[in-house]
Amino acid sequence: MAVGCFSFTASRDWCYRFSFSNAGLKSTTTDLGDGTIMHCWVPKTHNHSKPSLLLIHGMGANAMWQWNEFISPLTHRFNVYVPDLLFFGDSYTTRPERTESFQAQCVMALMEAHGVRRMNVVGISYGGFVAYSMAAQFPENLVKVVLVCAGVCLEEKDMDEGMFKVKSVDEAASLLLPQTPEKMRQLVQFTFAKPIKVMPTCFLNDYIDVSGFSHEKALSLLDFSLW
């Protein structure tokens, strides 16, 4: 389905950009070399009297969609940095690496490029795996680490024993980054305490089209994270 003249998702994305900018952040793109580009929201002015806080998103279109509600209060207390992980939003690489270890290395290189060497980190879902890897690789750079809904201790036997409702990585990928309205509705049922009851198909198709994340990329990232 091609995106029509009006896109609910693109309009929402614009609202989030305005919200981030209004909270004192600016959009930046950093070339890390070797075909790796990372997008990040950073403070318009870094306040050296405040600690730095790195927010790492999970599966989704881009970081704004997951962190928007928290940005305004957090920027009052921290220098907030919100990157798009590779293959999300405006971040990408031509390199073949797909591990959360590589994601962590790129995020650390990004922060160093912005002059930040000590930081607090919050990672949600897949972002929690990346945050955990950062803590393992760069313990001297991290002050505190918060992992939200991230099964970093997950083992293959947990899947076999039925801990989760999905039975395979392929099924998880089809839910976490849905490619059809039906899968999107199923994801909402799994993840919302009070699921949205009415979700028009046209809105769901619009979100899938604008997010532009393929099942194949999701599968490759989850393969390395879960096994």
Side-chain angles (χ1 to χ4, degrees):
M1 169 185 170
V3 178
C5 294
F6 175 78
S7 167
F8 170 80
T9 308
S11 299
R12 190 70 171 173
D13 206 66
W14 183 89
C15 290
Y16 287 150
R17 289 181 181 277
F18 178 81
S19 176
F20 271 54
S21 179
N22 197 48
L25 302 182
K26 63 181 180 181
S27 174
T28 65
T29 301
T30 303
D31 188 344
L32 300 180
D34 294 326
T36 302
I37 302 291
M38 291 201 72
H39 173 266
C40 187
W41 288 91
V42 306
K44 293 178 181 177
T45 303
H46 186 94
N47 187 336
H48 293 283
S49 66
K50 293 181 180 180
S52 293
L53 176 63
L54 171 64
L55 302 177
I56 307 180
H57 67 85
M59 294 291 178
N62 60 51
M64 295 187 298
W65 286 73
Q66 293 186 5
W67 295 115
N68 181 68
E69 301 302 319
F70 307 96
I71 291 300
S72 184
L74 287 174
T75 52
H76 291 300
R77 297 185 58 188
F78 299 93
N79 292 301
V80 177
Y81 293 81
V82 191
D84 286 333
L85 291 174
L86 295 175
F87 307 113
F88 298 87
D90 295 323
S91 296
Y92 63 89
T93 185
T94 58
R95 294 178 60 173
E97 288 91 338
R98 297 292 184 270
T99 65
E100 69 271 16
S101 175
F102 178 63
Q103 292 270 21
Q105 292 163 17
C106 290
V107 173
M108 193 66 235
L110 171 71
M111 295 300 286
E112 290 180 344
H114 286 290
V116 181
R117 298 188 179 278
R118 291 277 289 172
M119 69 207 76
N120 300 282
V121 182
V122 179
I124 183 170
S125 186
Y126 174 68
F129 285 87
V130 178
Y132 185 81
S133 184
M134 287 184 71
Q137 295 184 72
F138 312 105
E140 68 282 0
N141 298 104
L142 274 56
V143 181
K144 295 180 180 179
V145 179
V146 178
L147 305 181
V148 183
C149 301
V152 295
C153 296
L154 177 69
E155 297 180 7
E156 188 171 355
K157 67 180 181 64
D158 297 323
M159 299 283 280
D160 295 336
E161 292 172 359
M163 180 179 291
F164 299 96
K165 294 185 178 181
V166 296
K167 297 180 175 61
S168 67
V169 175
D170 187 74
E171 185 180 351
S174 71
L175 283 173
L176 290 173
L177 288 159
Q179 301 297 297
T180 66
E182 292 71 25
K183 286 294 183 181
M184 181 73 78
R185 293 187 179 96
Q186 192 176 357
L187 173 64
V188 171
Q189 291 297 319
F190 276 144
T191 56
F192 279 63
K194 296 181 179 180
I196 303 169
K197 294 182 179 180
V198 179
M199 292 181 288
T201 297
C202 60
F203 284 178
L204 298 179
N205 275 324
D206 177 60
Y207 177 82
I208 293 168
D209 286 341
V210 174
S211 64
F213 201 97
S214 72
H215 175 80
E216 289 73 20
K217 288 181 180 177
L219 183 58
S220 66
L221 292 176
L222 288 173
D223 259 330
F224 284 110
S225 294
L226 295 181
W227 306 128

